Amino acid sequence: KDPKKRNQYLAVSLYNLSKQNMLAVRDPHRDDDFIDHLRTQFSSLFQCCVTTNLYLSGAVKATGFIEHHDNHDVFAIQLAGRKRWHVGPPIMNHPSHRYRQVDTHSSDPANMTVYDTVPGQILYIPAGWRHFAEPAPPECGNSDLHGRSVHVTMGVHVPRWLDVLENVPHHCGRFI
């Protein structure tokens, strides 16, 4: 089968499936040259490990993930559709890579900043900042009746001294 036609068919199928479900694809850079190129550029720019995830979502499941924080910096790149993001406040200033604090409460929406993204825009979410996303409402120019949206995230894992210090006892314990 022609790889171009297969990729096109797969893209249309996944996009249609997103009418009813939120789909998350881990490490899409392994199968997509464009996302791999973006990841390579981010990794080169920040001189660190960069992970990728691809999210396809529709209005039936409006919020893909509950409000949460990540222990690494996130760059959300809007590829198709429109997305409304709710960001902040930070749950902690320097979240550890080793110990992830469980989110046990929701932020007051009045304390969260709202950002609407359109294709080609990038939203930066610092490590430790609470966030969630949903389809942008029609009044924001979202013409897709299903609220479908596609974005890719670049998880930038900048090494920090705190992470190194936390790992020392665990590694040294193996040699004593």
Side-chain angles (χ1 to χ4, degrees):
K1 223 178 181 188
D2 180 18
K4 237 182 192 179
K5 285 185 180 180
R6 183 182 65 82
N7 287 345
Q8 208 170 23
Y9 174 77
L10 181 61
V12 169
S13 296
L14 290 173
Y15 198 67
N16 285 329
L17 186 59
S18 74
K19 289 178 189 177
Q20 298 176 358
N21 301 286
M22 193 277 296
L23 303 172
V25 179
R26 186 175 295 237
D27 299 328
H29 64 273
R30 294 181 180 179
D31 299 309
D32 186 275
D33 292 337
F34 174 69
I35 295 173
D36 186 46
H37 175 73
L38 286 175
R39 183 180 139 314
T40 300
Q41 294 300 311
F42 271 82
S43 184
S44 176
L45 178 66
F46 292 102
Q47 295 293 302
C48 65
C49 173
V50 174
T51 56
T52 61
N53 291 303
L54 180 72
Y55 299 95
L56 297 92
S57 57
V60 172
K61 182 166 172 104
T63 303
F65 287 108
I66 61 169
E67 181 183 318
H68 67 283
H69 74 279
D70 294 298
N71 57 15
H72 54 273
D73 295 320
V74 174
F75 290 85
I77 304 167
Q78 194 68 34
L79 300 177
R82 293 172 183 252
K83 184 76 72 179
R84 172 160 284 178
W85 293 85
H86 302 264
V87 180
I91 192 167
M92 57 180 46
N93 290 329
H94 303 287
S96 166
H97 285 277
R98 184 164 164 66
Y99 301 103
R100 183 180 172 98
Q101 181 172 343
V102 177
D103 290 329
T104 57
H105 66 281
S106 295
S107 299
D108 178 356
N111 292 334
M112 297 184 91
T113 304
V114 175
Y115 300 95
D116 292 326
T117 55
V118 300
Q121 289 184 328
I122 300 174
L123 178 65
Y124 169 64
I125 304 169
W129 282 66
R130 303 177 69 74
H131 61 280
F132 70 93
E134 61 188 358
E139 61 267 18
C140 293
N142 194 359
S143 59
D144 187 326
L145 297 177
H146 300 287
R148 289 174 292 194
S149 172
V150 180
H151 73 275
V152 65
T153 59
M154 300 287 146
V156 178
H157 300 263
V158 177
R160 296 173 298 188
W161 280 107
L162 176 62
D163 299 314
V164 172
L165 291 174
E166 284 181 345
N167 281 315
V168 167
H170 299 285
H171 289 290
C172 290
R174 293 181 193 162
F175 302 112
I176 295 177

